[in-house]
Amino acid sequence: MSSKRASALEFESAGLSDVGKKRGSNEDSFALAPQHRLFVVADGMGGHAAGEVASRLAVESIERHISGSDPRKEPTIPADFRSPQGDEAALTPPARRVLNAVRLANQEIVRSVRKNREMRGMGTTVVMAYIQGSRAVIGSVGDSRAYLLRDDTLRQITSDHTFVNEQVRAGTLTQSEARKHPARNILTRAVGSQEEVEVDLIEQDLQAGDLLLLCSDGLTSMVEDDGILAALRGSRGDLATSCRALIDLANAKGGDDNVTVVLVRAVGPAKPTD
Ligand code: CA
């Protein structure tokens, strides 16, 4: 038994999406691909048909790219990505793979809008986790979020790409003003809305017991972080039950929007196979 194998983490996951209490359709999409250690939430926009199409295209495109690329091979940056993002050569191979996946999704949505003008204005958020070994690469565009629950502390890993969050960061709005601001839904970045997309990439080392939460703003606009933490605490154990509890909580608080949650738990060292 090698020490490397003894320290490898296993993961369990669950996801659930709900239309909420006010909307007629669900524009969110999500994917669980545990065989590729890939987990995605996307929240589409642009009118209900277009929003549904955008989030589904993004999730499918990301899944296709990750599942079709060999994790043992060095990912290359396609030549038609004209504006490189920072020092891409310095990115780890999994981070580069995540970046490529979101860019390809962006291209796919942009092309689909070009073919079908009725889809003009469609775009989507993306938050994804791609785990290699014990490290997760989180990719994010928009205001869907990733959180890490560790040692009973819930921490938001991603930053919202919203007009109000920029004001909060600049010190011109407080968090509680931002939550009630009339322009709180205005995104400063989305997948599919422009030829090029800037993707936040965050690498997070995971340890046994860690829980990753990916969610659309239908959860976080209804439930504050303390409420999310309490719901996760109250439904320890089964992840599907925890997903249900979070969605029920968002709906109990009004359910103004579609709500999607994906939970991924590191369940400790895999048993040695010898
Ligand atoms: Ca939403």
Side-chain angles (χ1 to χ4, degrees), residues 23 27-28 43-44 125 143-144 185 216-218 221 257-259:
R23 303 282 175 95
E27 299 178 45
D28 289 356
D43 174 354
T125 72
D143 65 351
S144 296
N185 293 321
S216 63
D217 71 330
S221 60
D257 196 0
N258 309 142
V259 50

Side-chain angles (χ1 to χ4, degrees), residues 110 112-121:
V110 167
S112 147
V113 171
R114 249 185 240 134
K115 273 190 276 182
N116 185 351
R117 298 308 288 173
E118 282 170 30
M119 295 294 175
R120 212 168 19 199

Side-chain angles (χ1 to χ4, degrees), residues 54-161:
S55 67
R56 200 180 60 241
L57 275 178
V59 163
E60 287 173 356
S61 172
I62 288 166
E63 197 171 355
R64 202 178 319 117
H65 178 70
I66 297 284
S67 66
S69 63
D70 183 345
R72 290 161 302 185
K73 287 198 187 134
E74 184 79 352
T76 52
I77 304 282
D80 57 344
F81 293 144
R82 289 181 301 268
S83 49
Q85 183 178 317
D87 182 8
E88 290 188 12
L91 292 175
T92 61
R96 218 173 300 158
R97 194 165 287 115
V98 167
L99 178 57
N100 283 346
V102 180
R103 285 166 152 177
L104 287 165
N106 188 70
Q107 278 188 336
E108 199 162 317
I109 296 171
V110 167
R111 274 198 214 112
S112 147
V113 171
R114 249 185 240 134
K115 273 190 276 182
N116 185 351
R117 298 308 288 173
E118 282 170 30
M119 295 294 175
R120 212 168 19 199
M122 82 169 166
T124 184
T125 72
V126 163
V127 63
M128 63 185 282
Y130 176 54
I131 301 170
Q132 291 285 286
S134 61
R135 175 169 281 200
V137 179
I138 310 293
S140 171
V141 179
D143 65 351
S144 296
R145 291 180 181 173
Y147 287 87
L148 176 68
L149 175 63
R150 173 182 290 174
D151 299 334
D152 207 39
T153 303
L154 187 70
R155 182 168 63 85
Q156 185 181 338
I157 301 177
T158 51
S159 302
D160 299 347
H161 302 136

